Structures are given as structure tokens and as C-alpha cells.
PDB file of all heavy atoms in Angstrom:
ATOM      1  N   GLU A   1      -0.276  -9.332   2.115  1.00 98.00           N
ATOM      2  CA  GLU A   1       0.269 -10.003   0.998  1.00 98.00           C
ATOM      3  C   GLU A   1       1.758  -9.683   0.794  1.00 98.00           C
ATOM      4  O   GLU A   1       2.185  -8.600   0.766  1.00 98.00           O
ATOM      5  CB  GLU A   1      -0.502  -9.622  -0.177  1.00 98.00           C
ATOM      6  CG  GLU A   1      -2.003  -9.962  -0.243  1.00 98.00           C
ATOM      7  CD  GLU A   1      -2.265 -11.455  -0.185  1.00 98.00           C
ATOM      8  OE1 GLU A   1      -1.315 -12.241  -0.879  1.00 98.00           O
ATOM      9  OE2 GLU A   1      -3.296 -12.003   0.359  1.00 98.00           O
ATOM     10  N   VAL A   2       2.556 -10.814   0.662  1.00 98.00           N
ATOM     11  CA  VAL A   2       4.036 -10.596   0.425  1.00 98.00           C
ATOM     12  C   VAL A   2       4.492 -11.588  -0.611  1.00 98.00           C
ATOM     13  O   VAL A   2       4.201 -12.775  -0.532  1.00 98.00           O
ATOM     14  CB  VAL A   2       4.784 -10.868   1.729  1.00 98.00           C
ATOM     15  CG1 VAL A   2       6.291 -10.514   1.492  1.00 98.00           C
ATOM     16  CG2 VAL A   2       4.194 -10.108   2.897  1.00 98.00           C
ATOM     17  N   ASP A   3       5.058 -10.967  -1.733  1.00 98.00           N
ATOM     18  CA  ASP A   3       5.682 -11.795  -2.765  1.00 98.00           C
ATOM     19  C   ASP A   3       7.107 -11.355  -2.990  1.00 98.00           C
ATOM     20  O   ASP A   3       7.315 -10.234  -3.368  1.00 98.00           O
ATOM     21  CB  ASP A   3       4.913 -11.678  -4.102  1.00 98.00           C
ATOM     22  CG  ASP A   3       3.394 -12.284  -4.060  1.00 98.00           C
ATOM     23  OD1 ASP A   3       3.449 -13.488  -3.854  1.00 98.00           O
ATOM     24  OD2 ASP A   3       2.509 -11.532  -4.043  1.00 98.00           O
ATOM     25  N   ALA A   4       8.062 -12.269  -2.662  1.00 97.00           N
ATOM     26  CA  ALA A   4       9.451 -11.993  -2.989  1.00 97.00           C
ATOM     27  C   ALA A   4       9.948 -10.789  -2.291  1.00 97.00           C
ATOM     28  O   ALA A   4      10.504  -9.823  -2.936  1.00 97.00           O
ATOM     29  CB  ALA A   4       9.771 -11.908  -4.466  1.00 97.00           C
ATOM     30  N   TYR A   5       9.466 -10.551  -1.140  1.00 98.00           N
ATOM     31  CA  TYR A   5       9.812  -9.433  -0.221  1.00 98.00           C
ATOM     32  C   TYR A   5       9.067  -8.177  -0.642  1.00 98.00           C
ATOM     33  O   TYR A   5       9.419  -7.059  -0.052  1.00 98.00           O
ATOM     34  CB  TYR A   5      11.274  -9.141  -0.096  1.00 98.00           C
ATOM     35  CG  TYR A   5      12.053 -10.298   0.311  1.00 98.00           C
ATOM     36  CD1 TYR A   5      13.150 -10.872  -0.403  1.00 98.00           C
ATOM     37  CD2 TYR A   5      11.817 -10.929   1.603  1.00 98.00           C
ATOM     38  CE1 TYR A   5      13.870 -12.000  -0.022  1.00 98.00           C
ATOM     39  CE2 TYR A   5      12.568 -12.006   2.048  1.00 98.00           C
ATOM     40  CZ  TYR A   5      13.630 -12.564   1.263  1.00 98.00           C
ATOM     41  OH  TYR A   5      14.323 -13.565   1.702  1.00 98.00           O
ATOM     42  N   VAL A   6       8.135  -8.195  -1.447  1.00 98.00           N
ATOM     43  CA  VAL A   6       7.315  -7.087  -1.817  1.00 98.00           C
ATOM     44  C   VAL A   6       5.888  -7.146  -1.134  1.00 98.00           C
ATOM     45  O   VAL A   6       5.192  -8.169  -1.335  1.00 98.00           O
ATOM     46  CB  VAL A   6       7.091  -6.914  -3.298  1.00 98.00           C
ATOM     47  CG1 VAL A   6       6.182  -5.740  -3.584  1.00 98.00           C
ATOM     48  CG2 VAL A   6       8.434  -6.670  -4.045  1.00 98.00           C
ATOM     49  N   TRP A   7       5.605  -6.225  -0.209  1.00 98.00           N
ATOM     50  CA  TRP A   7       4.346  -6.143   0.425  1.00 98.00           C
ATOM     51  C   TRP A   7       3.422  -5.287  -0.273  1.00 98.00           C
ATOM     52  O   TRP A   7       3.720  -4.240  -0.679  1.00 98.00           O
ATOM     53  CB  TRP A   7       4.589  -5.593   1.877  1.00 98.00           C
ATOM     54  CG  TRP A   7       5.649  -6.286   2.757  1.00 98.00           C
ATOM     55  CD1 TRP A   7       7.055  -6.382   2.384  1.00 98.00           C
ATOM     56  CD2 TRP A   7       5.433  -7.015   3.931  1.00 98.00           C
ATOM     57  NE1 TRP A   7       7.634  -7.123   3.353  1.00 98.00           N
ATOM     58  CE2 TRP A   7       6.776  -7.518   4.324  1.00 98.00           C
ATOM     59  CE3 TRP A   7       4.333  -7.259   4.698  1.00 98.00           C
ATOM     60  CZ2 TRP A   7       6.986  -8.246   5.478  1.00 98.00           C
ATOM     61  CZ3 TRP A   7       4.570  -8.041   5.875  1.00 98.00           C
ATOM     62  CH2 TRP A   7       5.846  -8.468   6.253  1.00 98.00           C
ATOM     63  N   HIS A   8       2.143  -5.787  -0.420  1.00 98.00           N
ATOM     64  CA  HIS A   8       1.292  -5.150  -1.331  1.00 98.00           C
ATOM     65  C   HIS A   8      -0.214  -5.207  -0.936  1.00 98.00           C
ATOM     66  O   HIS A   8      -0.582  -6.191  -0.272  1.00 98.00           O
ATOM     67  CB  HIS A   8       1.498  -5.599  -2.758  1.00 98.00           C
ATOM     68  CG  HIS A   8       1.355  -7.115  -2.980  1.00 98.00           C
ATOM     69  ND1 HIS A   8       0.123  -7.673  -3.321  1.00 98.00           N
ATOM     70  CD2 HIS A   8       2.279  -8.103  -2.856  1.00 98.00           C
ATOM     71  CE1 HIS A   8       0.300  -8.999  -3.482  1.00 98.00           C
ATOM     72  NE2 HIS A   8       1.587  -9.238  -3.220  1.00 98.00           N
ATOM     73  N   CYS A   9      -1.129  -4.368  -1.395  1.00 98.00           N
ATOM     74  CA  CYS A   9      -2.475  -4.373  -1.183  1.00 98.00           C
ATOM     75  C   CYS A   9      -3.151  -3.454  -2.238  1.00 98.00           C
ATOM     76  O   CYS A   9      -2.441  -2.552  -2.730  1.00 98.00           O
ATOM     77  CB  CYS A   9      -2.923  -4.086   0.173  1.00 98.00           C
ATOM     78  SG  CYS A   9      -2.637  -2.393   0.665  1.00 98.00           S
ATOM     79  N   TYR A  10      -4.418  -3.605  -2.460  1.00 98.00           N
ATOM     80  CA  TYR A  10      -5.157  -2.655  -3.382  1.00 98.00           C
ATOM     81  C   TYR A  10      -6.360  -2.247  -2.587  1.00 98.00           C
ATOM     82  O   TYR A  10      -6.999  -3.047  -1.941  1.00 98.00           O
ATOM     83  CB  TYR A  10      -5.576  -3.386  -4.644  1.00 98.00           C
ATOM     84  CG  TYR A  10      -6.382  -2.597  -5.569  1.00 98.00           C
ATOM     85  CD1 TYR A  10      -5.841  -1.863  -6.666  1.00 98.00           C
ATOM     86  CD2 TYR A  10      -7.776  -2.477  -5.444  1.00 98.00           C
ATOM     87  CE1 TYR A  10      -6.591  -1.070  -7.466  1.00 98.00           C
ATOM     88  CE2 TYR A  10      -8.570  -1.686  -6.296  1.00 98.00           C
ATOM     89  CZ  TYR A  10      -7.931  -1.013  -7.359  1.00 98.00           C
ATOM     90  OH  TYR A  10      -8.742  -0.179  -8.077  1.00 98.00           O
ATOM     91  N   ILE A  11      -6.584  -0.846  -2.633  1.00 98.00           N
ATOM     92  CA  ILE A  11      -7.767  -0.312  -1.898  1.00 98.00           C
ATOM     93  C   ILE A  11      -8.670   0.469  -2.870  1.00 98.00           C
ATOM     94  O   ILE A  11      -8.175   1.504  -3.431  1.00 98.00           O
ATOM     95  CB  ILE A  11      -7.342   0.637  -0.782  1.00 98.00           C
ATOM     96  CG1 ILE A  11      -6.345  -0.054   0.147  1.00 98.00           C
ATOM     97  CG2 ILE A  11      -8.497   1.116   0.004  1.00 98.00           C
ATOM     98  CD1 ILE A  11      -5.754   0.790   1.225  1.00 98.00           C
ATOM     99  N   PRO A  12      -9.830  -0.116  -3.124  1.00 98.00           N
ATOM    100  CA  PRO A  12     -10.786   0.688  -4.043  1.00 98.00           C
ATOM    101  C   PRO A  12     -11.175   2.023  -3.423  1.00 98.00           C
ATOM    102  O   PRO A  12     -11.276   2.226  -2.232  1.00 98.00           O
ATOM    103  CB  PRO A  12     -12.055  -0.208  -4.089  1.00 98.00           C
ATOM    104  CG  PRO A  12     -11.506  -1.559  -3.612  1.00 98.00           C
ATOM    105  CD  PRO A  12     -10.458  -1.374  -2.634  1.00 98.00           C
ATOM    106  N   GLY A  13     -11.412   3.084  -4.216  1.00 98.00           N
ATOM    107  CA  GLY A  13     -11.772   4.301  -3.872  1.00 98.00           C
ATOM    108  C   GLY A  13     -10.710   5.285  -3.397  1.00 98.00           C
ATOM    109  O   GLY A  13     -10.932   6.485  -3.192  1.00 98.00           O
ATOM    110  N   ILE A  14      -9.498   4.763  -3.306  1.00 98.00           N
ATOM    111  CA  ILE A  14      -8.410   5.674  -2.928  1.00 98.00           C
ATOM    112  C   ILE A  14      -7.957   6.473  -4.177  1.00 98.00           C
ATOM    113  O   ILE A  14      -7.515   5.892  -5.159  1.00 98.00           O
ATOM    114  CB  ILE A  14      -7.108   4.934  -2.338  1.00 98.00           C
ATOM    115  CG1 ILE A  14      -7.594   4.296  -1.025  1.00 98.00           C
ATOM    116  CG2 ILE A  14      -6.028   5.814  -2.078  1.00 98.00           C
ATOM    117  CD1 ILE A  14      -7.924   5.232  -0.008  1.00 98.00           C
ATOM    118  N   ARG A  15      -7.993   7.655  -4.140  1.00 98.00           N
ATOM    119  CA  ARG A  15      -7.855   8.628  -5.265  1.00 98.00           C
ATOM    120  C   ARG A  15      -6.652   9.532  -5.274  1.00 98.00           C
ATOM    121  O   ARG A  15      -5.981   9.612  -4.110  1.00 98.00           O
ATOM    122  CB  ARG A  15      -9.095   9.364  -5.560  1.00 98.00           C
ATOM    123  CG  ARG A  15     -10.438   8.536  -5.596  1.00 98.00           C
ATOM    124  CD  ARG A  15     -11.618   9.400  -5.968  1.00 98.00           C
ATOM    125  NE  ARG A  15     -11.444  10.013  -7.305  1.00 98.00           N
ATOM    126  CZ  ARG A  15     -11.687   9.339  -8.351  1.00 98.00           C
ATOM    127  NH1 ARG A  15     -12.023   8.084  -8.362  1.00 98.00           N
ATOM    128  NH2 ARG A  15     -11.589   9.972  -9.543  1.00 98.00           N
ATOM    129  N   PRO A  16      -6.269  10.152  -6.341  1.00 98.00           N
ATOM    130  CA  PRO A  16      -5.231  11.111  -6.285  1.00 98.00           C
ATOM    131  C   PRO A  16      -5.339  12.155  -5.287  1.00 98.00           C
ATOM    132  O   PRO A  16      -6.487  12.669  -5.043  1.00 98.00           O
ATOM    133  CB  PRO A  16      -5.214  11.625  -7.719  1.00 98.00           C
ATOM    134  CG  PRO A  16      -5.745  10.496  -8.558  1.00 98.00           C
ATOM    135  CD  PRO A  16      -6.770   9.895  -7.789  1.00 98.00           C
ATOM    136  N   GLY A  17      -4.272  12.556  -4.646  1.00 98.00           N
ATOM    137  CA  GLY A  17      -4.381  13.502  -3.544  1.00 98.00           C
ATOM    138  C   GLY A  17      -4.336  12.894  -2.166  1.00 98.00           C
ATOM    139  O   GLY A  17      -4.116  13.661  -1.142  1.00 98.00           O
ATOM    140  N   GLN A  18      -4.506  11.570  -2.107  1.00 98.00           N
ATOM    141  CA  GLN A  18      -4.463  10.835  -0.796  1.00 98.00           C
ATOM    142  C   GLN A  18      -3.117  10.869  -0.219  1.00 98.00           C
ATOM    143  O   GLN A  18      -2.138  10.497  -0.876  1.00 98.00           O
ATOM    144  CB  GLN A  18      -4.904   9.418  -1.004  1.00 98.00           C
ATOM    145  CG  GLN A  18      -4.813   8.582   0.251  1.00 98.00           C
ATOM    146  CD  GLN A  18      -5.671   8.936   1.365  1.00 98.00           C
ATOM    147  OE1 GLN A  18      -6.931   9.099   1.244  1.00 98.00           O
ATOM    148  NE2 GLN A  18      -5.109   9.243   2.481  1.00 98.00           N
ATOM    149  N   ARG A  19      -2.892  11.254   1.027  1.00 98.00           N
ATOM    150  CA  ARG A  19      -1.642  11.247   1.725  1.00 98.00           C
ATOM    151  C   ARG A  19      -1.478   9.934   2.374  1.00 98.00           C
ATOM    152  O   ARG A  19      -2.373   9.277   2.944  1.00 98.00           O
ATOM    153  CB  ARG A  19      -1.574  12.381   2.747  1.00 98.00           C
ATOM    154  CG  ARG A  19      -1.820  13.749   2.199  1.00 98.00           C
ATOM    155  CD  ARG A  19      -1.449  14.794   3.161  1.00 98.00           C
ATOM    156  NE  ARG A  19      -2.431  14.859   4.266  1.00 98.00           N
ATOM    157  CZ  ARG A  19      -2.295  15.773   5.247  1.00 98.00           C
ATOM    158  NH1 ARG A  19      -1.417  16.743   5.223  1.00 98.00           N
ATOM    159  NH2 ARG A  19      -3.239  15.774   6.274  1.00 98.00           N
ATOM    160  N   TYR A  20      -0.223   9.354   2.371  1.00 99.00           N
ATOM    161  CA  TYR A  20       0.029   8.097   2.952  1.00 99.00           C
ATOM    162  C   TYR A  20       1.549   8.001   3.332  1.00 99.00           C
ATOM    163  O   TYR A  20       2.444   8.742   2.937  1.00 99.00           O
ATOM    164  CB  TYR A  20      -0.241   6.964   2.015  1.00 99.00           C
ATOM    165  CG  TYR A  20       0.585   6.784   0.850  1.00 99.00           C
ATOM    166  CD1 TYR A  20       1.554   5.857   0.742  1.00 99.00           C
ATOM    167  CD2 TYR A  20       0.470   7.603  -0.362  1.00 99.00           C
ATOM    168  CE1 TYR A  20       2.441   5.612  -0.300  1.00 99.00           C
ATOM    169  CE2 TYR A  20       1.266   7.449  -1.478  1.00 99.00           C
ATOM    170  CZ  TYR A  20       2.258   6.464  -1.450  1.00 99.00           C
ATOM    171  OH  TYR A  20       3.197   6.347  -2.478  1.00 99.00           O
ATOM    172  N   GLY A  21       1.758   6.951   4.152  1.00 98.00           N
ATOM    173  CA  GLY A  21       3.185   6.588   4.496  1.00 98.00           C
ATOM    174  C   GLY A  21       3.113   5.170   4.913  1.00 98.00           C
ATOM    175  O   GLY A  21       2.181   4.410   4.809  1.00 98.00           O
ATOM    176  N   PHE A  22       4.217   4.703   5.405  1.00 99.00           N
ATOM    177  CA  PHE A  22       4.436   3.343   5.928  1.00 99.00           C
ATOM    178  C   PHE A  22       5.066   3.169   7.260  1.00 99.00           C
ATOM    179  O   PHE A  22       5.932   4.047   7.535  1.00 99.00           O
ATOM    180  CB  PHE A  22       5.334   2.540   4.918  1.00 99.00           C
ATOM    181  CG  PHE A  22       4.682   2.341   3.483  1.00 99.00           C
ATOM    182  CD1 PHE A  22       5.202   3.127   2.451  1.00 99.00           C
ATOM    183  CD2 PHE A  22       3.688   1.432   3.313  1.00 99.00           C
ATOM    184  CE1 PHE A  22       4.673   2.954   1.196  1.00 99.00           C
ATOM    185  CE2 PHE A  22       3.105   1.246   2.037  1.00 99.00           C
ATOM    186  CZ  PHE A  22       3.664   2.028   0.989  1.00 99.00           C
ATOM    187  N   ARG A  23       4.668   2.242   8.062  1.00 98.00           N
ATOM    188  CA  ARG A  23       5.384   1.951   9.269  1.00 98.00           C
ATOM    189  C   ARG A  23       5.780   0.530   9.175  1.00 98.00           C
ATOM    190  O   ARG A  23       5.066  -0.470   8.912  1.00 98.00           O
ATOM    191  CB  ARG A  23       4.452   2.044  10.487  1.00 98.00           C
ATOM    192  CG  ARG A  23       3.875   3.489  10.722  1.00 98.00           C
ATOM    193  CD  ARG A  23       3.139   3.730  12.006  1.00 98.00           C
ATOM    194  NE  ARG A  23       2.625   5.113  12.184  1.00 98.00           N
ATOM    195  CZ  ARG A  23       3.258   6.110  12.674  1.00 98.00           C
ATOM    196  NH1 ARG A  23       4.442   5.886  13.193  1.00 98.00           N
ATOM    197  NH2 ARG A  23       2.730   7.340  12.789  1.00 98.00           N
ATOM    198  N   VAL A  24       7.153   0.402   9.371  1.00 98.00           N
ATOM    199  CA  VAL A  24       7.839  -0.951   9.094  1.00 98.00           C
ATOM    200  C   VAL A  24       8.305  -1.466  10.463  1.00 98.00           C
ATOM    201  O   VAL A  24       9.150  -0.899  11.149  1.00 98.00           O
ATOM    202  CB  VAL A  24       9.020  -0.838   8.207  1.00 98.00           C
ATOM    203  CG1 VAL A  24       9.739  -2.108   7.918  1.00 98.00           C
ATOM    204  CG2 VAL A  24       8.526  -0.227   6.712  1.00 98.00           C
TER     205      VAL A  24
END
């Protein structure tokens, strides 16, 4: 999903403490 150059998604169940990053 991309709106005005903002890429986004929602993932149920992902909670605080989850490690993440991006590959562009």
C-alpha cells in the first residue's frame, strides 16, 4: 500500500518488543 509516497501495512498480533527494519 502506497499513499503519497508513504508505504504502509498493519499486522495483527505484532506487539511491543518486536524488532524490525526496512529494506528499500
Side-chain angles (χ1 to χ4, degrees):
E1 297 291 329
V2 187
D3 291 295
Y5 302 122
V6 176
W7 304 65
H8 54 90
C9 68
Y10 179 93
I11 305 179
I14 297 297
R15 306 186 61 79
Q18 173 66 55
R19 301 191 294 184
Y20 72 99
F22 296 103
R23 296 188 186 273
V24 177

